[in-house]
Amino acid sequence: MATPLERWVEEQAKLTQPSKIYWCDGTEAEAKKLIKIGMKEETINGHPVFQKLNDKHWPNAYYHRSHPNDVARTEQLTFVCHPAKETAGPNNNWMDPKEAKTKMTALFDGCMKGRTMYVMPYMMGHPKSPYAKACVQITDNSYVAVSMRIMTRMGKEALDRIGSSENFVRGLHSVGDLHPERRFIIHFPQENLVWSFGSGYGGNALLGKKCFALRIASCMGQKEGWLAEHMLIMGVEDPKGQVTYIAAAFPSACGKTNLALMQSALPGYKVWTLGDDIAWLNIGPDGRLYAINPEAGFFGVAPGTSLKTNPKMIETLKNKKFFPTLYTNTAIDNDTNEPWWEGLDGAVPKSVTDWQGNAWDPSKGTKAAHANSRFTVSILNCPTLSKEFDNPQGVPISAIIVGGRRSKLIPLVMEAFNWQHGVFLGTRTGSETTAAAAHQLGVLRRDPMAMLPFCGYNMGDYFAHWLNVGKKLKNPPKIFSVNWFRTDETSKFMWPGFGDNIRVIKWIIDRVQGKVVAKETALGLLPDLKDLDLSGLNIPRETVDKLFSIDPPEWTGELQDIEKYLSQFGSRTPEAIWEEYRSLAEKLGQSVSK
Ligand code: GTP
Ligand code: SPV
Ligand code: MN
């Protein structure tokens, strides 16, 4: 008798008609074989799927070039198909599930003719974790298959956990013909199912990541009482050896990976890495909030990564331990055949091939590496990997941080008065847009908890769910807001960021440990500047004051924008959030209609 998994695979093969079906075991030997196939037999836009790079300085390095129209997440082509449109909410594109099935069935019909279908059983989370989920993704592309080996726990343990059960999350993916008119990323939360067609880009094609671990998982969490969040997880060890666990939500390309691997600028402090993009937060048996990272690798932004900004990531990339490491849409140094990107240490190489495969002419002012070019590398390569990474229970979270890119208004750091106010800080979070998704850059958009593109249901209900989780926690984490990106009159960042962010984290930990008092302001609790360790940092007092300045009149437009944003969700925006909104307006001396 065929198992439900075998039956499902058979049905997908009948629909897509591959010439071969290959069951992945997730081993290194298999990755080597798939890379060979990718170098010799599969192409994307006329380029081989993989190209070998020189691994003298960058061990196990392979290059992948995307189709130039397929280099970021395409939010406008991403849909969440609940039976009722209101369940998806104004934060999602919605399609009727039946209509979506019909449309996608036509696209998938025969799409794998002449190709190999890779079947990948994988775990999101440690196989022994009560919070982990077993999944299977099908793809017709070796880059996706090799990436999934790095990003998830793939292979036998997932197969064993699925066994003859129906209980696994299904993902069907084909690169199709990469035509943007035939590109759809479609979620069916009722069926724990994702269908993705026409893109080979990470967040669109590695279905365990944003599609499952955030969009589908957020729906599961709403039903089951937990949270699936776009958050890094880190442990910060203080000079006494005590480790405080923190989760932080920043929108795409706003600094999660950098913070998660931060090399502390303050002696005696050490950051231990647990995750850089996704956290699943559950209420543990003791009533505290526990975080696991469902992933097993980093899919990180390359430009700007250097020994100066993120030395631990450079060490991770230079670690030989886990095979392989992928570089997607970076540039290549022609003299050395090594990957290169803007911001990497050392001189700009003399002769460079750009991300589109052309000779790079710097005098034209174009970038050699795509702004959203990325590396894919195992978390096991990370020299600061926390010893708790594989703890099936996860780690107890003492502080949650929300943030985004705000050139104005938002102080460097502040603490919420309480959980409800913290949730409000999350809902009002905004960020100036980046290259991680295909849209206009540098425009302010509200991005509650950095989940706008990833919350699989109505965001009004998501706010309510956050409030409910807080009520169930015995000892809820403190919530903080940070902003590394405030600029001066010349548009320069005022805060040095990166390793110096530990100064802010130290204040957060001191607050968690009850070591320092904070100042009450209209926006939240702000540090007394004497409690912020700025030793060894050459930053004028005036700049520090500006990083924390609150100018009530400047908030008029901000309040209007927050109100407009929250009003979209109608009666689903919880009254408790409006209470916080009114209270903020009142403290700023502004009158509002809501
Ligand atoms: P996703 O993988 O897209 O979710 O992004 P992320 O949130 O992990 O962002 P990442 O750490 O990759 O940083 C993205 C960009 O922000 C890079 O160009 C970094 O150099 C820059 N960045 C990160 N941290 C800081 C900081 O503290 N200050 C400044 N000015 N820039 C930063
Ligand atoms: C993001 O865009 O938030 C990423 C990269 O982390 S992706 O996997 O493409 O979503
Ligand atoms: Mn991300």
Side-chain angles (χ1 to χ4, degrees):
M1 258 279 278
T3 64
L5 170 59
E6 287 161 349
R7 278 204 304 277
W8 180 70
V9 171
E10 204 175 295
E11 282 162 25
Q12 310 316 300
K14 222 187 225 165
L15 171 64
T16 57
Q17 299 167 38
S19 54
K20 258 192 273 178
I21 300 179
Y22 178 98
W23 286 73
C24 295
D25 62 14
T27 57
E28 178 171 330
E30 176 179 274
K32 289 188 169 145
K33 191 160 85 188
L34 297 190
I35 287 176
K36 242 185 221 148
I37 292 173
M39 290 198 289
K40 297 215 174 94
E41 296 169 28
E42 291 179 11
T43 58
I44 288 282
N45 193 34
H47 298 286
V49 167
F50 287 114
Q51 184 179 328
K52 175 120 186 59
L53 293 171
N54 178 353
D55 54 14
K56 183 159 173 235
H57 300 107
W58 305 93
N60 306 317
Y62 292 86
Y63 187 79
H64 173 75
R65 183 170 283 125
S66 303
H67 192 291
N69 74 23
D70 186 34
V71 293
R73 283 180 293 99
T74 41
E75 293 174 8
Q76 73 283 9
L77 304 174
T78 302
F79 291 78
V80 177
C81 302
H82 291 282
K85 186 170 185 210
E86 307 82 77
T87 316
N91 48 300
N92 280 302
N93 297 312
W94 176 84
M95 218 189 285
D96 175 76
K98 279 203 200 83
E99 185 195 328
K101 284 272 168 73
T102 307
K103 190 181 178 97
M104 295 300 278
T105 301
L107 288 174
F108 276 113
D109 190 0
C111 72
M112 293 188 191
K113 273 184 191 154
R115 297 183 189 172
T116 300
M117 171 193 265
Y118 302 100
V119 182
M120 304 175 287
Y122 65 97
M123 293 299 305
M124 292 309 278
H126 190 277
K128 294 208 163 58
S129 172
Y131 310 128
K133 307 277 177 195
C135 316
V136 179
Q137 176 172 341
I138 287 173
T139 184
D140 56 2
N141 183 258
S142 54
Y143 168 73
V144 172
V146 175
S147 299
M148 289 293 284
R149 156 170 157 80
I150 303 170
M151 296 305 296
T152 74
R153 294 157 166 101
M154 189 195 289
K156 188 172 179 310
E157 280 176 303
L159 261 191
D160 290 348
R161 179 131 159 186
I162 295 168
S164 58
S165 122
E166 292 271 2
N167 189 13
F168 59 96
V169 179
R170 295 150 168 84
L172 174 63
H173 170 256
S174 169
V175 288
D177 61 6
L178 294 168
H179 196 291
E181 278 170 23
R182 287 180 287 281
R183 177 174 301 155
F184 292 99
I185 297 91
I186 309 256
H187 305 73
F188 301 95
Q190 259 64 30
E191 300 170 59
N192 292 340
L193 171 69
V194 183
W195 278 6
S196 166
F197 190 89
S199 169
Y201 173 73
N204 291 339
L206 313 180
L207 303 184
K209 198 172 179 46
K210 298 302 171 39
C211 297
F212 170 53
L214 290 179
R215 297 197 191 92
I216 299 278
S218 61
C219 297
M220 290 178 162
Q222 188 204 19
K223 277 190 224 106
E224 298 166 8
W226 55 282
L227 295 162
E229 297 297 328
H230 192 201
M231 289 179 179
L232 67 92
I233 313 167
M234 64 183 186
V236 185
E237 187 174 332
D238 64 23
K240 289 204 175 118
Q242 192 178 339
V243 180
T244 303
Y245 293 99
I246 298 177
F250 309 144
S252 303
C254 290
K256 290 183 299 300
T257 302
N258 278 272
L259 191 61
L261 277 80
M262 175 176 51
Q263 177 155 292
S264 160
L266 287 179
Y269 285 83
K270 218 173 150 134
V271 167
W272 297 106
T273 308
L274 289 117
D276 79 326
D277 199 50
I278 298 178
W280 285 355
L281 306 173
N282 281 270
I283 303 172
D286 59 358
R288 294 190 67 185
L289 194 62
Y290 282 79
I292 64 160
N293 172 11
E295 300 192 282
F298 304 131
F299 180 56
V301 177
T305 306
S306 70
L307 282 172
K308 223 166 75 206
T309 57
N310 195 350
K312 295 299 171 193
M313 185 54 88
I314 298 288
E315 255 186 77
T316 302
L317 295 172
K318 295 199 168 183
N319 192 336
K320 289 191 174 68
K321 199 163 169 184
F322 190 95
F323 180 93
T325 297
L326 309 180
Y327 297 85
T328 301
N329 300 331
T330 62
I332 298 175
D333 178 340
N334 293 328
D335 292 329
T336 60
N337 193 33
E338 288 180 345
W340 187 79
W341 51 81
E342 278 78 9
L344 188 59
D345 309 278
V348 175
K350 281 195 212 71
S351 163
V352 171
T353 298
D354 74 9
W355 66 274
Q356 300 201 57
N358 302 317
W360 180 53
D361 179 357
S363 72
K364 290 206 171 119
T366 55
K367 297 267 191 319
H370 188 275
N372 192 39
S373 56
R374 292 189 179 244
F375 46 75
T376 317
V377 63
S378 171
I379 200 168
L380 302 178
N381 274 13
C382 180
T384 56
L385 185 65
S386 163
K387 63 179 186 354
E388 299 298 321
F389 173 68
D390 267 339
N391 185 338
Q393 302 302 322
V395 291
I397 296 296
S398 300
I400 290 176
I401 304 177
V402 296
R405 283 177 190 261
R406 292 301 303 266
S407 50
K408 300 210 161 50
L409 290 175
I410 307 297
L412 180 62
V413 62
M414 62 187 183
E415 180 186 328
F417 301 123
N418 51 45
W419 182 270
Q420 175 173 308
H421 181 239
V423 176
F424 171 67
L425 292 187
T427 66
R428 72 106 179 92
T429 301
S431 193
E432 284 137 32
T433 48
T434 66
H439 47 206
Q440 203 188 337
L441 299 188
V443 178
L444 176 69
R445 80 166 178 177
R446 297 281 144 206
D447 190 348
M449 318 284 187
M451 281 290 279
L452 179 67
F454 308 121
C455 179
Y457 60 101
N458 192 308
M459 215 139 198
D461 296 340
Y462 170 77
F463 302 154
H465 183 48
W466 261 83
L467 293 169
N468 283 336
V469 168
K471 283 185 197 130
K472 288 191 203 132
L473 287 167
K474 280 216 189 84
N475 187 2
K478 282 177 178 285
I479 301 180
F480 297 82
S481 145
V482 303
N483 178 23
W484 315 138
F485 299 96
R486 208 158 168 178
T487 55
D488 62 15
E489 307 75 40
T490 65
S491 298
K492 274 218 194 79
F493 295 127
M494 291 192 285
W495 179 247
F498 302 103
D500 286 307
N501 291 333
I502 191 71
R503 300 169 190 278
V504 169
I505 300 296
K506 174 185 182 293
W507 182 76
I508 289 175
I509 291 171
D510 286 347
R511 285 293 299 159
V512 165
Q513 296 177 354
K515 284 191 187 150
V516 293
V517 293
K519 284 192 303 196
E520 189 158 343
T521 72
L523 304 189
L525 301 167
L526 262 63
D528 205 322
L529 291 189
K530 72 167 177 25
D531 296 325
L532 203 59
D533 188 342
L534 300 176
S535 54
L537 192 64
N538 202 3
I539 182 167
R541 172 65 197 245
E542 190 190 299
T543 308
V544 179
D545 286 339
K546 276 194 207 152
L547 282 163
F548 286 101
S549 72
I550 303 170
D551 180 18
E554 272 191 24
W555 274 79
T556 310
E558 177 77 2
L559 284 169
Q560 282 165 359
D561 198 60
I562 295 172
E563 180 174 324
K564 192 169 140 211
Y565 186 78
L566 294 176
S567 297
Q568 281 182 84
F569 307 102
S571 61
R572 294 192 191 233
T573 299
E575 187 46 36
I577 297 298
W578 286 123
E579 240 171 60
E580 295 297 333
Y581 169 75
R582 280 192 294 270
S583 155
L584 170 64
E586 193 181 316
K587 287 177 187 161
L588 288 166
Q590 312 242 345
S591 59
V592 288
S593 53
K594 269 283 164 183

